[in-house]
């Protein structure tokens, strides 16, 4: 989501549902490094492009996923990401 559209969020729920059940939930303000700090650091080492997704550490509730699981992750005011775990090739 472009910063020009949403600003630089410092608060808001960040969550993960696995197969429709909430597995993780926290707030952006709980992160060790703020979103702008993470983007600034990564930009020193990588070229970030529109559509890039930055994966960070996770809040409590970490657990395994298996083929066929459907994950829905989201950050308030930013958006959602839906992923289905594919079977091994």
């Amino acid at each position: 989501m472009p910063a020009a559209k949403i600003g630089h969020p410092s608060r808001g729920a960040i969550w993960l549902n696995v197969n429709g059940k909430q597995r993780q939930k926290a707030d952006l303000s709980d992160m060790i490094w703020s979103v702008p700090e993470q983007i600034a650091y990564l930009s020193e080492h990588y070229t970030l492009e529109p559509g890039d997704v930055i994966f960070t550490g996770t809040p409590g509730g970490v657990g395994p996923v298996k083929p066929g699981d459907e994950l829905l992750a989201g950050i308030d005011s930013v958006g959602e990401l839906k992923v289905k775990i594919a079977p091994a090739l």
Side-chain angles (χ1 to χ4, degrees), residues 26-75:
D27 194 280
L28 287 175
S29 64
D30 296 331
M31 298 178 79
I32 295 170
W33 293 286
S34 70
V35 173
E37 287 172 323
Q38 293 178 57
I39 292 171
Y41 177 81
L42 290 169
S43 295
E44 291 176 8
H45 303 281
Y46 305 97
T47 300
L48 297 176
E49 301 287 342
D52 285 350
V53 177
I54 298 171
F55 290 95
T56 65
T58 64
V62 173
V65 294
K66 61 187 180 311
D69 283 350
E70 293 187 7
L71 285 61
L72 179 63
I75 302 173

